[in-house]
Amino acid sequence: MGNNIILLTGATGFVGCPLTHKLLNFCKEVVTVVRKKSNALPNEVKQLEIGDSLVSRDWAPMVKGVDVIIHVAARVHVMSDTANDPLAEFRAVNTLATLNLARQAADAGVKRFVFLSSIKVNGELTEGEPFSPEDKFIPTDHYGLSKYEAEQGLLALAKETDMDVVIIRPPLVYGPGVRANFAAMMKWVNKGVPLPLGSVHNLRSLVALDNLVSFIIHCINHPKAANEVFLISDGEDVSITELLKKVAKAFGKRAFLLPISVGWMTFLAKIIGKADVANRLFGSLQVDSSKARDVLGWQPVVTMDEQLKKMADAASNEKTI
């Protein structure tokens, strides 16, 4: 692994930035593709500034001599999308740009293409059985569809060329720097805001940022990862109620959770047009990540409690969580 030259896209993002720092310990050279140069990345890495143009880009000069590409850059899931044609926007970045990069990489002799996909390829909710890599695709939104189409294109490309691919589908990723709902939840718990989530008995799989970074690095050279799809998680599924209690514990506090009926909250959510939000909050989403452990011998590097404590400490030090 130490002799690899790695090209990483999305290097300044939530996953990409910590991944860049870790990669320096595992490879010969790290080349990052960024919209604009960032001081958040180590001085040792080369930054290739490309702006916003991804779809029809000529990658040949950038991928020449590269051994492995880790493709993290994406148009992420948007709750309130204002694009005129959201599916076209998702496909442009997540499907077309990915396959354009991969084809040019294969032509240049790149050995492996590691693609960060999403559990949304499997679907939004599970009932009884966790998602597995072998499940059929269940289209739920434009983001998941665009990732699925990219996966299919990559697997087809692997059959036609000497470049192999590795596809990783994480569920919700949490860690220092997390934004949106998870960050808001941590702030509410830290402030002692009463939340009506004391009687939620769903089960959700999550993956700590440190664990996801560890697994991506694990896939760089492992021979058994070639042309495989992996679902990844911490391996400790929790309910929303349990998660909130763990967050409170990380802050050294007690969660103020009101035992309101899930049925009643779901009913109210439907009345105000937020049924989809209720499904994500109260529904289960479990993934079977045993393949990562059994086939590749990977193990999580942190527990959920350890990652949440790291986030709480960052928040207490007035850093972003």
PDB file of all heavy atoms in Angstrom, residues 258-281:
ATOM      1  N   LEU A 258     -39.368  13.034  26.148  1.00  0.00           N
ATOM      2  CA  LEU A 258     -40.759  12.831  26.531  1.00  0.00           C
ATOM      3  C   LEU A 258     -41.304  11.593  25.830  1.00  0.00           C
ATOM      4  O   LEU A 258     -41.154  11.446  24.613  1.00  0.00           O
ATOM      5  CB  LEU A 258     -41.594  14.056  26.145  1.00  0.00           C
ATOM      6  CG  LEU A 258     -41.081  15.406  26.672  1.00  0.00           C
ATOM      7  CD1 LEU A 258     -41.930  16.540  26.120  1.00  0.00           C
ATOM      8  CD2 LEU A 258     -41.075  15.408  28.186  1.00  0.00           C
ATOM      9  N   PRO A 259     -41.969  10.681  26.556  1.00  0.00           N
ATOM     10  CA  PRO A 259     -42.452   9.421  25.975  1.00  0.00           C
ATOM     11  C   PRO A 259     -43.764   9.582  25.202  1.00  0.00           C
ATOM     12  O   PRO A 259     -44.804   9.033  25.567  1.00  0.00           O
ATOM     13  CB  PRO A 259     -42.633   8.534  27.207  1.00  0.00           C
ATOM     14  CG  PRO A 259     -42.983   9.487  28.305  1.00  0.00           C
ATOM     15  CD  PRO A 259     -42.205  10.743  28.022  1.00  0.00           C
ATOM     16  N   ILE A 260     -43.704  10.331  24.114  1.00  0.00           N
ATOM     17  CA  ILE A 260     -44.888  10.556  23.279  1.00  0.00           C
ATOM     18  C   ILE A 260     -45.058   9.384  22.308  1.00  0.00           C
ATOM     19  O   ILE A 260     -44.082   8.872  21.756  1.00  0.00           O
ATOM     20  CB  ILE A 260     -44.764  11.876  22.496  1.00  0.00           C
ATOM     21  CG1 ILE A 260     -44.427  13.028  23.433  1.00  0.00           C
ATOM     22  CG2 ILE A 260     -46.037  12.152  21.703  1.00  0.00           C
ATOM     23  CD1 ILE A 260     -45.467  13.292  24.491  1.00  0.00           C
ATOM     24  N   SER A 261     -46.288   8.978  22.089  1.00  0.00           N
ATOM     25  CA  SER A 261     -46.582   7.864  21.188  1.00  0.00           C
ATOM     26  C   SER A 261     -46.107   8.149  19.767  1.00  0.00           C
ATOM     27  O   SER A 261     -46.381   9.211  19.210  1.00  0.00           O
ATOM     28  CB  SER A 261     -48.091   7.592  21.177  1.00  0.00           C
ATOM     29  OG  SER A 261     -48.452   6.791  20.089  1.00  0.00           O
ATOM     30  N   VAL A 262     -45.396   7.178  19.184  1.00  0.00           N
ATOM     31  CA  VAL A 262     -44.940   7.309  17.808  1.00  0.00           C
ATOM     32  C   VAL A 262     -46.134   7.390  16.858  1.00  0.00           C
ATOM     33  O   VAL A 262     -46.125   8.153  15.879  1.00  0.00           O
ATOM     34  CB  VAL A 262     -44.022   6.127  17.424  1.00  0.00           C
ATOM     35  CG1 VAL A 262     -43.778   6.099  15.916  1.00  0.00           C
ATOM     36  CG2 VAL A 262     -42.698   6.234  18.166  1.00  0.00           C
ATOM     37  N   GLY A 263     -47.181   6.607  17.147  1.00  0.00           N
ATOM     38  CA  GLY A 263     -48.384   6.647  16.311  1.00  0.00           C
ATOM     39  C   GLY A 263     -49.006   8.028  16.276  1.00  0.00           C
ATOM     40  O   GLY A 263     -49.436   8.506  15.219  1.00  0.00           O
ATOM     41  N   TRP A 264     -49.061   8.668  17.416  1.00  0.00           N
ATOM     42  CA  TRP A 264     -49.634  10.012  17.492  1.00  0.00           C
ATOM     43  C   TRP A 264     -48.767  11.012  16.733  1.00  0.00           C
ATOM     44  O   TRP A 264     -49.290  11.851  15.982  1.00  0.00           O
ATOM     45  CB  TRP A 264     -49.763  10.418  18.956  1.00  0.00           C
ATOM     46  CG  TRP A 264     -50.250  11.821  19.200  1.00  0.00           C
ATOM     47  CD1 TRP A 264     -49.581  12.827  19.809  1.00  0.00           C
ATOM     48  CD2 TRP A 264     -51.524  12.382  18.821  1.00  0.00           C
ATOM     49  NE1 TRP A 264     -50.335  13.971  19.848  1.00  0.00           N
ATOM     50  CE2 TRP A 264     -51.537  13.727  19.244  1.00  0.00           C
ATOM     51  CE3 TRP A 264     -52.641  11.871  18.172  1.00  0.00           C
ATOM     52  CZ2 TRP A 264     -52.609  14.570  19.038  1.00  0.00           C
ATOM     53  CZ3 TRP A 264     -53.717  12.716  17.964  1.00  0.00           C
ATOM     54  CH2 TRP A 264     -53.712  14.045  18.394  1.00  0.00           C
ATOM     55  N   MET A 265     -47.442  10.921  16.887  1.00  0.00           N
ATOM     56  CA  MET A 265     -46.552  11.855  16.183  1.00  0.00           C
ATOM     57  C   MET A 265     -46.596  11.619  14.674  1.00  0.00           C
ATOM     58  O   MET A 265     -46.531  12.563  13.889  1.00  0.00           O
ATOM     59  CB  MET A 265     -45.124  11.703  16.720  1.00  0.00           C
ATOM     60  CG  MET A 265     -44.934  12.282  18.118  1.00  0.00           C
ATOM     61  SD  MET A 265     -43.204  12.342  18.624  1.00  0.00           S
ATOM     62  CE  MET A 265     -42.863  10.584  18.877  1.00  0.00           C
ATOM     63  N   THR A 266     -46.710  10.360  14.269  1.00  0.00           N
ATOM     64  CA  THR A 266     -46.814  10.055  12.843  1.00  0.00           C
ATOM     65  C   THR A 266     -48.101  10.631  12.257  1.00  0.00           C
ATOM     66  O   THR A 266     -48.110  11.178  11.147  1.00  0.00           O
ATOM     67  CB  THR A 266     -46.773   8.527  12.628  1.00  0.00           C
ATOM     68  OG1 THR A 266     -45.554   7.998  13.169  1.00  0.00           O
ATOM     69  CG2 THR A 266     -46.854   8.186  11.142  1.00  0.00           C
ATOM     70  N   PHE A 267     -49.185  10.520  13.009  1.00  0.00           N
ATOM     71  CA  PHE A 267     -50.477  11.069  12.587  1.00  0.00           C
ATOM     72  C   PHE A 267     -50.381  12.588  12.391  1.00  0.00           C
ATOM     73  O   PHE A 267     -50.824  13.137  11.383  1.00  0.00           O
ATOM     74  CB  PHE A 267     -51.541  10.738  13.624  1.00  0.00           C
ATOM     75  CG  PHE A 267     -52.880  11.384  13.366  1.00  0.00           C
ATOM     76  CD1 PHE A 267     -53.690  10.962  12.325  1.00  0.00           C
ATOM     77  CD2 PHE A 267     -53.328  12.428  14.179  1.00  0.00           C
ATOM     78  CE1 PHE A 267     -54.913  11.569  12.083  1.00  0.00           C
ATOM     79  CE2 PHE A 267     -54.555  13.037  13.947  1.00  0.00           C
ATOM     80  CZ  PHE A 267     -55.353  12.601  12.889  1.00  0.00           C
ATOM     81  N   LEU A 268     -49.778  13.267  13.353  1.00  0.00           N
ATOM     82  CA  LEU A 268     -49.613  14.711  13.252  1.00  0.00           C
ATOM     83  C   LEU A 268     -48.715  15.090  12.068  1.00  0.00           C
ATOM     84  O   LEU A 268     -48.975  16.073  11.371  1.00  0.00           O
ATOM     85  CB  LEU A 268     -49.021  15.271  14.546  1.00  0.00           C
ATOM     86  CG  LEU A 268     -49.928  15.251  15.785  1.00  0.00           C
ATOM     87  CD1 LEU A 268     -49.166  15.769  16.999  1.00  0.00           C
ATOM     88  CD2 LEU A 268     -51.178  16.092  15.547  1.00  0.00           C
ATOM     89  N   ALA A 269     -47.671  14.290  11.839  1.00  0.00           N
ATOM     90  CA  ALA A 269     -46.754  14.568  10.736  1.00  0.00           C
ATOM     91  C   ALA A 269     -47.485  14.483   9.395  1.00  0.00           C
ATOM     92  O   ALA A 269     -47.245  15.293   8.488  1.00  0.00           O
ATOM     93  CB  ALA A 269     -45.584  13.595  10.771  1.00  0.00           C
ATOM     94  N   LYS A 270     -48.391  13.522   9.265  1.00  0.00           N
ATOM     95  CA  LYS A 270     -49.151  13.382   8.020  1.00  0.00           C
ATOM     96  C   LYS A 270     -50.065  14.587   7.803  1.00  0.00           C
ATOM     97  O   LYS A 270     -50.215  15.075   6.685  1.00  0.00           O
ATOM     98  CB  LYS A 270     -49.973  12.095   8.056  1.00  0.00           C
ATOM     99  CG  LYS A 270     -49.142  10.822   7.935  1.00  0.00           C
ATOM    100  CD  LYS A 270     -50.023   9.583   7.976  1.00  0.00           C
ATOM    101  CE  LYS A 270     -49.181   8.321   7.837  1.00  0.00           C
ATOM    102  NZ  LYS A 270     -50.010   7.091   7.917  1.00  0.00           N
ATOM    103  N   ILE A 271     -50.654  15.058   8.891  1.00  0.00           N
ATOM    104  CA  ILE A 271     -51.567  16.207   8.789  1.00  0.00           C
ATOM    105  C   ILE A 271     -50.840  17.444   8.270  1.00  0.00           C
ATOM    106  O   ILE A 271     -51.384  18.204   7.453  1.00  0.00           O
ATOM    107  CB  ILE A 271     -52.221  16.497  10.156  1.00  0.00           C
ATOM    108  CG1 ILE A 271     -53.211  15.379  10.525  1.00  0.00           C
ATOM    109  CG2 ILE A 271     -52.934  17.847  10.147  1.00  0.00           C
ATOM    110  CD1 ILE A 271     -53.842  15.555  11.886  1.00  0.00           C
ATOM    111  N   ILE A 272     -49.615  17.647   8.712  1.00  0.00           N
ATOM    112  CA  ILE A 272     -48.873  18.852   8.304  1.00  0.00           C
ATOM    113  C   ILE A 272     -47.986  18.608   7.084  1.00  0.00           C
ATOM    114  O   ILE A 272     -47.143  19.430   6.738  1.00  0.00           O
ATOM    115  CB  ILE A 272     -48.034  19.409   9.473  1.00  0.00           C
ATOM    116  CG1 ILE A 272     -46.962  18.399   9.917  1.00  0.00           C
ATOM    117  CG2 ILE A 272     -48.921  19.790  10.639  1.00  0.00           C
ATOM    118  CD1 ILE A 272     -46.011  18.948  10.973  1.00  0.00           C
ATOM    119  N   GLY A 273     -48.160  17.445   6.446  1.00  0.00           N
ATOM    120  CA  GLY A 273     -47.422  17.158   5.223  1.00  0.00           C
ATOM    121  C   GLY A 273     -45.984  16.753   5.422  1.00  0.00           C
ATOM    122  O   GLY A 273     -45.144  16.947   4.530  1.00  0.00           O
ATOM    123  N   LYS A 274     -45.656  16.179   6.581  1.00  0.00           N
ATOM    124  CA  LYS A 274     -44.282  15.773   6.879  1.00  0.00           C
ATOM    125  C   LYS A 274     -44.175  14.261   7.102  1.00  0.00           C
ATOM    126  O   LYS A 274     -43.364  13.802   7.906  1.00  0.00           O
ATOM    127  CB  LYS A 274     -43.767  16.512   8.124  1.00  0.00           C
ATOM    128  CG  LYS A 274     -43.704  18.018   7.983  1.00  0.00           C
ATOM    129  CD  LYS A 274     -42.638  18.442   6.984  1.00  0.00           C
ATOM    130  CE  LYS A 274     -42.504  19.953   6.911  1.00  0.00           C
ATOM    131  NZ  LYS A 274     -41.478  20.371   5.921  1.00  0.00           N
ATOM    132  N   ALA A 275     -44.978  13.500   6.380  1.00  0.00           N
ATOM    133  CA  ALA A 275     -44.973  12.048   6.553  1.00  0.00           C
ATOM    134  C   ALA A 275     -43.610  11.446   6.231  1.00  0.00           C
ATOM    135  O   ALA A 275     -43.163  10.500   6.887  1.00  0.00           O
ATOM    136  CB  ALA A 275     -46.046  11.409   5.670  1.00  0.00           C
ATOM    137  N   ASP A 276     -42.922  12.002   5.216  1.00  0.00           N
ATOM    138  CA  ASP A 276     -41.610  11.472   4.852  1.00  0.00           C
ATOM    139  C   ASP A 276     -40.595  11.692   5.959  1.00  0.00           C
ATOM    140  O   ASP A 276     -39.733  10.843   6.215  1.00  0.00           O
ATOM    141  CB  ASP A 276     -41.118  12.113   3.549  1.00  0.00           C
ATOM    142  CG  ASP A 276     -41.081  13.631   3.613  1.00  0.00           C
ATOM    143  OD1 ASP A 276     -41.829  14.203   4.437  1.00  0.00           O
ATOM    144  OD2 ASP A 276     -40.317  14.249   2.842  1.00  0.00           O
ATOM    145  N   VAL A 277     -40.710  12.830   6.646  1.00  0.00           N
ATOM    146  CA  VAL A 277     -39.807  13.112   7.771  1.00  0.00           C
ATOM    147  C   VAL A 277     -40.065  12.117   8.906  1.00  0.00           C
ATOM    148  O   VAL A 277     -39.129  11.597   9.521  1.00  0.00           O
ATOM    149  CB  VAL A 277     -39.996  14.557   8.286  1.00  0.00           C
ATOM    150  CG1 VAL A 277     -39.143  14.808   9.520  1.00  0.00           C
ATOM    151  CG2 VAL A 277     -39.661  15.558   7.189  1.00  0.00           C
ATOM    152  N   ALA A 278     -41.335  11.838   9.176  1.00  0.00           N
ATOM    153  CA  ALA A 278     -41.685  10.877  10.221  1.00  0.00           C
ATOM    154  C   ALA A 278     -41.156   9.486   9.892  1.00  0.00           C
ATOM    155  O   ALA A 278     -40.657   8.770  10.772  1.00  0.00           O
ATOM    156  CB  ALA A 278     -43.200  10.830  10.400  1.00  0.00           C
ATOM    157  N   ASN A 279     -41.226   9.100   8.624  1.00  0.00           N
ATOM    158  CA  ASN A 279     -40.722   7.787   8.224  1.00  0.00           C
ATOM    159  C   ASN A 279     -39.226   7.655   8.483  1.00  0.00           C
ATOM    160  O   ASN A 279     -38.755   6.623   8.973  1.00  0.00           O
ATOM    161  CB  ASN A 279     -41.009   7.536   6.737  1.00  0.00           C
ATOM    162  CG  ASN A 279     -42.476   7.243   6.470  1.00  0.00           C
ATOM    163  OD1 ASN A 279     -43.189   6.789   7.358  1.00  0.00           O
ATOM    164  ND2 ASN A 279     -42.918   7.507   5.250  1.00  0.00           N
ATOM    165  N   ARG A 280     -38.485   8.725   8.166  1.00  0.00           N
ATOM    166  CA  ARG A 280     -37.043   8.678   8.393  1.00  0.00           C
ATOM    167  C   ARG A 280     -36.709   8.695   9.876  1.00  0.00           C
ATOM    168  O   ARG A 280     -35.729   8.085  10.317  1.00  0.00           O
ATOM    169  CB  ARG A 280     -36.360   9.855   7.691  1.00  0.00           C
ATOM    170  CG  ARG A 280     -36.235   9.694   6.187  1.00  0.00           C
ATOM    171  CD  ARG A 280     -35.334  10.753   5.588  1.00  0.00           C
ATOM    172  NE  ARG A 280     -35.926  12.079   5.690  1.00  0.00           N
ATOM    173  CZ  ARG A 280     -36.718  12.615   4.771  1.00  0.00           C
ATOM    174  NH1 ARG A 280     -37.034  11.933   3.701  1.00  0.00           N
ATOM    175  NH2 ARG A 280     -37.204  13.833   4.922  1.00  0.00           N
ATOM    176  N   LEU A 281     -37.512   9.393  10.654  1.00  0.00           N
ATOM    177  CA  LEU A 281     -37.238   9.539  12.078  1.00  0.00           C
ATOM    178  C   LEU A 281     -37.639   8.306  12.876  1.00  0.00           C
ATOM    179  O   LEU A 281     -36.936   7.888  13.793  1.00  0.00           O
ATOM    180  CB  LEU A 281     -37.966  10.766  12.622  1.00  0.00           C
ATOM    181  CG  LEU A 281     -37.608  11.242  14.026  1.00  0.00           C
ATOM    182  CD1 LEU A 281     -36.129  11.591  14.118  1.00  0.00           C
ATOM    183  CD2 LEU A 281     -38.461  12.443  14.417  1.00  0.00           C
TER     184      LEU A 281
END
